[in-house]
Structures are given as structure tokens and as C-alpha cells.
Amino acid sequence: MVIMTFDFARKQTIAIIGGGPGGYEAALAGAQLGADVTLVESTGVGGSAVLTDVVPSKTLIATADAARAIDDAGELGVQFFARGDSGKPLKPEVAINLLAINKRILALAGQQSEDMRERLIEAGVNIISGHGRLEGDDAIVVSTGPDGTDFDRIEADTIIVSVGASPRELPSAKPDGDRVLTWKQMYNMSAVPEHLIVVGSGVTGAEFASAYMNLGAKVTLVSSREQVLPGEDADAARVLEKVFTRGGMTLLAKSRAESVENTGHGVTVTLSDGSTVEGSHCLMAVGGVPNTRDLGLEDAGVQLADSGHIQVNRVGRTSVPNIYAVGDCTNLVPLASVSSMLGRTAVFHAMGDAVIPFAEHKIASNIFTSPEIATVGWTNDAKHSVELKLDLEENPRAKMMGVKDGFVKLYARDTSGTVVGGVVVAPKASELIYPIAMAVERRLTVDQVARVFTAYPSLAGSITDAARAMHGVDERSGS
Ligand SMILES: Cc1cc2nc3c(=O)[nH]c(=O)nc-3n(C[C@H](O)[C@H](O)[C@H](O)COP(=O)(O)OP(=O)(O)OC[C@H]3O[C@@H](n4cnc5c(N)ncnc54)[C@H](O)[C@@H]3O)c2cc1C
């Protein structure tokens, strides 16, 4: 048994490896509680989330949504015309300047990283640029020089590992940054690809497929499973498949990509049944692997799963009491929001502050396709809950906006009527899920949700309508 003793007169010291959402929030929480905090980061504050993953992809999607809105405006009676030399009206084309779009994306991500760095400095966090590695269970060694020859050594009471993950690479489909791309390399392209083949129909694959379809590319989505977004709500996946097919996307279900070759003028994707698909570019979106190799974790006694993920409990603590881990390098859910929350939780726990342990069923998450798909809570517990789904086409605001696809679905406990989960498929579902997340967190019943005023007309009105329609679920179930 390890017995930890603290000298409470001395300032606590915290050393963090990795400055993504987890490390960033951990650093701010530590500084707020009066600790002496050092953050080691090899690339840039904000991490992959800000520099290559969340911020760039969501900025691209904002542009794709704008392009889609221009396309859809005609249905609402908005028409674009220019006068030609003859005075006759001409219909202008919508042009996508991917070079300008990517320039904006990378500048925005860089600025966000800089803003976060300044915020840490203001909070008194000591930032060291370099590659960190554990030395035993109470120190980090950082190689800071360009050739890895200069070293810093930081001893700390508490160590937080938040090193994130990298795109999984298949040996037969090696990304080359030219035509075979990881999601981090998508911003190298100077023009919208003629035909983008997306391998992997999970969240990342679906988001890029949706965005590039709306930017005017021909898109083929290769999915090894029967439905896109495997593991997500089946009704939501069906809506998305309908929208994708209507937009001209080719969906290849139950098709595993065996290899991808850059032919010089395009790509050839060979599927497991021997058939091939030809395209101009291929995005490999087949998941991530944790950046936990050669970090000194095993030598420090930190337990890893076979996948390389660090095993942590619900406050982010590893098998070594003073070493915590948060974010995509752990066995918890790989989301920026979860990483941030755990970063704070880990520091509060290490410093003896009050903590609420992580609960997976309270996570609100969103898939930024068009329409968006947002989920919270227990959505697959058919044994103990009842569900009610309202299609958005019944919602007056949706009709006014020309929204054809989507729904609101609520799940409530059959014994008490307590809201336990929900799914929203709608434009800006990421915003609409918040009241349902609040209901799940505060354990509100469907009647309590139904009593809340929503503005009329509003998409949120479908949430209260669904709750109203569920009045008496507990009585109807006979409990
Ligand atoms: C395309 C894409 C879109 C996504 N969109 C969303 C979204 O919309 N919403 C959402 O919640 N999540 C999203 N995610 C998931 C999200 O990106 C991750 O959950 C999040 O980045 C994890 O944060 P993290 O704290 O683990 O650190 P990361 O953001 O992964 O950063 C880790 C940092 O550690 C640094 N590092 C690694 N090793 C060392 C070392 N040895 N020494 C020093 N520094 C080191 C790296 O340089 C990096 O900066 C998306 C993921 C992808 C791939």
C-alpha cells in the first residue's frame, strides 16, 4: 500500500504532459487552486483538438453549411442573378475557394492556440516547449532542443498525462499527405477534390463526407458495417443515409477497404471483395491510437490496456496514486469535452477539492454532419425506459425554415417519468441538446420539462411537445 503524505504549508506542484483540452483545463484548475503548475507541450497549446482536429473540422463544416444554405435558399424563394452584357439575368455559380477556406481555418486554429497559451501565462502556468517523458513516478524529463539534446527535469507531487491520440494508419493504406490523407492532412488540399473516397463511416468519416458533399465534391463513403455511424442511434443514422443519398453520395455498406494506392493522378481503393473504387483523393478515417508509447509509463507502474490506452478510474487516477491521465490517451470516451472535464476533475481530486466522478451517461455529444446529430444519456436501455420520437416536419418553425429532415427523441424511465436521455437530429442539434442534458443531469420528469416555456415558433418546441406527449408514461407502464 502506498501512503501519501502532504506538507500543506508547501505549494503543491503539478506537472502536465500535453496541452490539449485535458492538459489545458488541468493547468488552469491547478493554478486556480494555488498550485505551482508546469505544462509540457511539444506542438502547441490547445493540442490536436485546436490545431488539427476539432477546431479545423468545425470551421470547415461552418463553411460547408454556408455553401449548403446558398444552395437551399432557392427553395425559400431567394434567387441570385447577375446581369450579363446583353442585360439578360444570368445565374451565377457558387465557387468554393478551398485555398482561402483552408487558410482561414489554419489561421483561426493558430490564433485560438495562441489565445489559450496567453490565458495559461496570465494564470501563472509555466509552459515548457518540448517532448516530455516520465522518469519514475514523480518527475518528467523534457527534451527541449531541436535535436533532442537539451533537457529539463521537473519534479512534481502530481503528474497528469494528457498526450492525446494520433490517426490510425493501415500498412496497406499509408497516408502520403498528397492523395491518401489523414484528417490532419485535409487542410493541405488547394482545391475541392473531384472525387473524395472516405474510408470509415464513424463520426470523423461522416463529418468530412457531409462537409465535402456540401462543398460540391463527389463523395463515396466506405463503411465496413451495415449502417453509417455504427453504434449511434439507428433512426439518426437512417436520416443521415437518406440525406447523403439525396445529395448524390455513394454509400458502400459492409465494404472493408483492404488497400489504398496513390496512382499519381488519383487513388484506387481495393475492397475486401476484390472490387475497386477510383477517386481523386482518399481520407482514411479509421480511428485513433493513443500517444502512449515510449513515455515511461510502464516503468512508472502505470497500467495500460492492450490497446495502449491508460487505465483510469472516474476521477482520472491511474494505477499509480499520484499519476493521473485524461483525454484520448485513456480508456474513457475520446471527446474534447470529456477531456476538459476530466482535466479539472483530476486536479480537484489530487488537491483534495470536491469532485463529481465522471459519468458516461451524462455526456452530451454531437456529430457535426448536416443535419447535426446530438445525443445525451441512456438511449439504448429499452428494458427500463420508454421513448417518444417527434419528426421535425411537424414543427412549425422547421416548416418555415424549409427543414425536412430530423427529429427529437426523448427517453424516460418507465417507473418515474424521469428523463434519462435524448437524441436530436436537426440543424444546430448541438445547441438543442442542452435542455435535454440539463433534464438528465437534474433528473427532471417529462412533466417538469413539459411545463417549461419555449419560444413560439422554435425547434426547441419539439422538445416540450415530446415531453407533453409522454405525460403519464409512468402510470401507463403500470408501475
Ligand atoms: C476530426 C476530429 C474532429 C473532432 N471533433 C470533435 C468535436 O467536435 N467535439 C469533441 O468534443 N471532440 C471532437 N474530437 C475529439 C477531440 O479532438 C479529442 O477528444 C481531444 O482532442 C482530446 O484531447 P486531449 O486532451 O486528449 O489532447 P489532444 O487534443 O489530443 O492533444 C494532446 C497534446 O499532447 C501533446 N503531446 C503528446 N505527446 C507529448 C509528449 N510526449 N510531450 C509533450 N507533448 C505531447 C500533443 O502535441 C498534443 O498537443 C474530434 C476528433 C477528430 C479526430
Side-chain angles (χ1 to χ4, degrees), residues 17-23 40-54 57-58 130-133 162-165 183 187 204 207-208 291 295 326-329 333-340 366 368:
I17 313 182
V40 179
E41 169 54 57
S42 58
T43 315
V45 173
S48 309
V50 168
L51 292 167
T52 56
D53 298 358
V54 188
S57 64
K58 264 78 262 185
H131 186 271
R133 192 177 188 285
S162 51
V163 290
W183 61 75
Y187 311 97
T204 300
E207 287 186 353
F208 276 103
N291 298 326
L295 266 191
V326 302
D328 287 13
C329 61
V333 183
L335 281 174
S337 49
V338 173
S339 184
S340 307
N366 190 61
F368 290 82

Side-chain angles (χ1 to χ4, degrees), residues 10 158 337:
R10 180 174 68 79
T158 301
S337 49

Side-chain angles (χ1 to χ4, degrees), residues 141-155:
V141 176
V142 191
S143 51
T144 51
D147 49 4
T149 47
D150 296 334
F151 290 98
D152 259 345
R153 188 171 183 283
I154 310 138
E155 286 187 9

Side-chain angles (χ1 to χ4, degrees), residues 392 394-403 455-461:
L392 276 191
E394 296 166 27
N395 178 297
R397 185 78 188 279
K399 289 179 195 163
M400 295 165 201
M401 292 163 67
V403 172
Y456 178 84
S458 66
L459 298 185

